[in-house]
Amino acid sequence: MEIRALNPGFVGEVSGIDITQPLTPAQAAAIEAGMDQYAVLIFHGQPFTDEQQKAFSLNFGSLEDTTGGNVTKASEKRLGAFMADVSNLGPDHKPLARDDRKRLFNLGNQLWHSDSSFRATPAKYSLLSGRITVDQGGQTQFCDMRAAYDALDAATKAEIENLICEHSLIYSRGTLGFTDLSEAERAMFKPVRQRLVRVHPVTGRKSLYLSSHAGTIIGWPVPEARAFLRDLLEHATQKQFFHAHSWQQYDLVMWDNRSTVHRVTRFDDTKVRDMRRTTIAGESMTVAQLAA
Ligand code: OGA
Ligand code: MN
């Protein structure tokens, strides 16, 4: 297995390994070490079934349950409970209508975010498999929140060191004007607390924990908090921290949600884009609080 660094250095392109088949412990450890060094790894030509994707994912921890992360009723799910359906498809495998509520909710993925930052214990890795990809738009873009943190001036680092934000799907969807949530959904999306600066458990590196789900800073007036979070995000998404992935069918892209943000770019939603994500559960909260 080899890893080649892509610009600007936090994304590695992996070759020489078939990850659809069971890994040896040494292979799994090499991939995990690559994740700690880079934060995003790209594998090409990996035609996964859902079960194979699950088996590969389990090398890195336990799978996060997808409940509480969307507005799709269990009876309308296209994929198994352990897979986040990041496609633009309904249960009939056809593109959702333009005004379909699930589609409008999923458009939130076009905002910079870290997966499951709206959960009290947020995600470790995400593994996204491109089963049917589009070639116009539909890129997944990433930014390195470790490098973005390192580049802040000392006064800003001191100011943010102990700040706590509240994150919720209510905030990210609200930014796009998606506010029609039921009482049950509002309760399910109750805000959770996250540190604004977090420390990676393996490398000890600090990173900015930004996400479109962040809507308040504890103790701050809301408009001031949101304006500041926007400034930080603008800083953190400059091109020296940025990489765009253009998908080929059967790419598997794996990222560390503890040290990156990502978003999908707009594409022609009448075309099929079948993307399936497994998510590795995080091991700890960034702030002590009750679990959901
Ligand atoms: C995700 C996500 C981006 C994409 O899978 O978490 O945000 O490219 N997807 O679909
Ligand atoms: Mn995401």
Side-chain angles (χ1 to χ4, degrees):
M1 183 184 108
E2 267 180 48
I3 306 181
R4 180 173 77 95
L6 303 179
N7 275 335
F10 72 102
V11 179
E13 187 178 52
V14 187
S15 56
I17 184 166
D18 177 356
I19 56 172
T20 67
Q21 297 307 308
L23 302 186
T24 64
Q27 286 175 316
I31 292 172
E32 185 128 6
M35 287 295 288
D36 289 335
Q37 183 188 339
Y38 289 91
V40 181
L41 291 179
I42 295 168
F43 302 79
H44 299 293
Q46 308 290 341
F48 278 117
T49 62
D50 290 356
E51 283 305 318
Q52 287 171 329
Q53 183 176 342
K54 179 180 179 180
F56 173 66
S57 302
L58 286 170
N59 285 296
F60 310 106
S62 55
L63 294 184
E64 187 176 87
D65 196 314
T66 60
T67 41
N70 51 67
V71 294
T72 309
K73 295 187 196 74
S75 60
E76 287 171 17
K77 288 225 157 92
R78 190 176 69 98
L79 308 174
F82 63 88
M83 286 230 133
D85 192 352
V86 196
S87 75
N88 59 340
L89 309 174
D92 58 358
H93 301 279
K94 297 221 166 67
L96 296 165
R98 189 170 194 180
D99 61 354
D100 189 289
R101 193 164 177 267
K102 293 190 288 292
R103 169 174 184 268
L104 302 180
F105 186 87
N106 290 343
L107 290 178
N109 281 336
Q110 291 185 19
L111 303 178
W112 289 110
H113 65 281
S114 174
D115 288 333
S116 294
S117 74
F118 52 83
R119 298 186 194 277
T121 301
K124 179 186 177 188
Y125 298 160
S126 291
L127 300 94
L128 188 61
S129 166
R131 305 296 175 83
I132 301 174
T133 54
V134 293
D135 44 26
Q136 306 276 348
Q139 287 182 328
T140 309
Q141 302 181 332
F142 297 92
C143 289
D144 183 354
M145 295 297 103
R146 304 165 300 187
Y149 174 83
D150 290 345
L152 292 170
D153 59 67
T156 307
K157 282 181 182 164
E159 184 177 20
I160 66 177
E161 176 69 19
N162 291 312
L163 293 181
I164 309 284
C165 298
E166 285 189 307
H167 292 230
S168 169
L169 283 159
I170 298 171
Y171 299 135
S172 50
R173 274 47 191 176
T175 298
L176 294 184
F178 184 104
T179 52
D180 103 64
L181 295 167
S182 68
E183 277 314 302
E185 286 166 342
R186 277 179 198 282
M188 183 164 79
F189 299 153
K190 189 169 170 298
V192 302
R193 295 183 170 201
Q194 306 291 1
R195 296 190 66 88
L196 181 53
V197 177
R198 62 184 302 184
V199 177
H200 194 280
V202 179
T203 64
R205 285 189 72 180
K206 287 184 177 172
S207 64
L208 268 176
Y209 195 26
L210 296 171
S211 190
S212 60
H213 308 308
T216 68
I217 299 173
I218 303 294
W220 285 41
V222 169
E224 187 179 350
R226 293 197 186 174
F228 185 44
L229 292 171
R230 278 195 186 214
D231 278 352
L232 289 172
L233 187 66
E234 195 172 311
H235 158 79
T237 52
Q238 297 176 81
K239 71 172 185 308
Q240 63 269 35
F241 312 128
F242 171 94
H243 178 85
H245 178 65
S246 298
W247 287 87
Q248 294 166 242
Q249 189 178 32
Y250 301 134
D251 285 346
L252 184 288
V253 180
M254 187 171 172
W255 61 88
D256 190 335
N257 288 297
R258 301 169 299 188
S259 45
T260 58
V261 291
H262 64 279
R263 68 176 179 187
V264 61
T265 64
R266 198 160 179 268
F267 63 99
D268 176 354
D269 241 326
T270 63
K271 302 259 179 0
V272 172
R273 183 172 186 267
D274 188 348
M275 313 296 285
R276 304 186 185 197
R277 191 185 89 209
T278 39
T279 313
I280 307 302
E283 279 136 35
S284 55
M285 299 183 192
T286 64
V287 188
Q289 63 194 310
L290 291 176

